[in-house]
Amino acid sequence: FPVTIPYGNGSITIASSSSSWTMIKRTADQTVSSTTTYADDNTLQFAVTAGKKYSFRGMMVVEAGAGGFKVAVNGPTLSTGELRVAGSSTAATNYDTTFSTNGGGSGNYAFPIWGYFDCATNGTLTLRIAQASASENTVFEKGSWLEYMEIA
């Protein structure tokens, strides 16, 4: 400390923090079958409190069928923030923005996800996945992980 983090059009500096990173690890696969509707990851999620600022980072490991996949984040009302997935050209400030899509081609994929945000209401931040086109199963794979920290 201190740590400076880009925030909106500026930055915020954290002089000190009593928080440390909390890690959540996926220990079993979760399958999404024949749907293009987002499904919540049942492991990679964490509770957030209104009026607090959070940072998160993680690695999603996905096995995609021939229909491909899409990834998003969902949660309570944001005051401000930025959510990103590697490979996305822009940052999202709204939930359920599709960050990354592999529109076709089966295979295994691993990609980082990160962000920071202010919560306007209590709730749960959750990673989400769906098929780009409903065909074969898409799997959140064991070995995916998410870390989070309250930063202010």
Side-chain angles (χ1 to χ4, degrees):
F1 289 98
V3 174
T4 300
I5 300 170
Y7 197 79
N9 293 327
S11 63
I12 100 174
T13 299
I14 303 166
S16 65
S17 175
S18 59
S19 297
S20 60
W21 290 101
T22 299
M23 179 176 265
I24 305 164
K25 298 177 187 175
R26 171 163 283 297
T27 58
D29 291 348
Q30 176 184 340
T31 301
V32 177
S33 300
S34 300
T35 182
T36 58
T37 301
Y38 280 114
D40 291 347
D41 184 302
N42 59 22
T43 302
L44 301 180
Q45 54 183 264
F46 60 94
V48 294
T49 303
K52 302 288 184 176
K53 295 178 182 170
Y54 295 88
S55 181
F56 69 92
R57 60 189 181 195
M59 182 67 68
M60 291 185 73
V61 182
V62 176
E63 179 184 345
F69 66 93
K70 55 187 180 179
V71 175
V73 176
N74 197 16
T77 304
L78 292 173
S79 294
T80 57
E82 192 169 286
L83 314 167
R84 288 189 182 259
V85 170
S88 64
S89 58
T90 59
T93 54
N94 297 311
Y95 291 125
D96 279 348
T97 297
T98 298
F99 287 113
S100 181
T101 301
N102 171 351
S106 59
N108 293 317
Y109 302 88
F111 49 92
I113 183 167
W114 67 95
Y116 59 90
F117 58 95
D118 290 348
C119 288
T121 58
N122 294 339
T124 302
L125 185 95
T126 305
L127 300 186
R128 308 186 91 197
I129 195 166
Q131 295 166 311
S133 64
S135 61
E136 299 173 14
N137 291 343
T138 299
V139 181
F140 281 117
E141 290 193 324
K142 176 181 174 180
S144 299
W145 57 273
L146 179 66
E147 290 183 312
Y148 65 94
M149 179 188 335
E150 182 183 315
I151 57 175

